[in-house]
Amino acid sequence: MTGMWFDDAELGMRFDTARRTVTEADVVNFCGVSGDFHTLHTDAEAMRDSHFGERIAHGALILSMVTGLRGRLNIFGDSLLAFAEIRGWRFLRPVLIGDTIRAANEIVELRPTSKTDRGVMVQRVEVYNQHDVLVQEGEMVSLLKRAVPA
């Protein structure tokens, strides 16, 4: 079995993801998958005159990319049972096509469950662009296996 188990995790542990550039193809594909073809994402002319000055990526697209970037860390590997919840997620700044994002993660809560073979881990997640500007933030809750049930 690979990965960090619930019993190995400690409050304050931090994990930083790799970076990923948001492309035109990402936005177009997300439009198709989500059905969200809003002008914010699809009309360059209208957005040129907006307060953004250009099209922006879907907030939910960036959130989805963050889940993928976090998964690529492979820190929890076989120990991850479920991605259980997103708490208090906020979209703070727009992400533009061509921006590069990354996520900083910190374990802020650990608690065993009533089932002795698992525990709940809460990570604070902050998403930054290439200028180190915070663009999204919130908490992600996961259910992890325990190495040795209590």
Side-chain angles (χ1 to χ4, degrees), residues 115-128:
K115 295 185 178 182
T116 59
D117 64 339
R118 61 195 68 186
V120 174
M121 177 186 62
V122 180
Q123 290 184 53
R124 171 134 184 85
V125 181
E126 297 175 333
V127 184
Y128 295 92

Side-chain angles (χ1 to χ4, degrees), residues 40-81:
L40 290 167
H41 318 297
T42 61
D43 188 334
E45 290 304 311
M47 292 307 294
R48 187 171 291 121
D49 296 328
S50 75
H51 63 281
F52 296 119
E54 60 187 287
R55 290 177 299 142
I56 62 172
H58 305 74
L61 168 61
I62 303 309
L63 174 57
S64 296
M65 288 179 157
V66 166
T67 64
L69 288 170
R70 286 166 39 89
R72 285 175 46 194
L73 290 169
N74 203 28
I75 291 171
F76 301 102
D78 295 333
S79 64
L80 181 66
L81 287 169

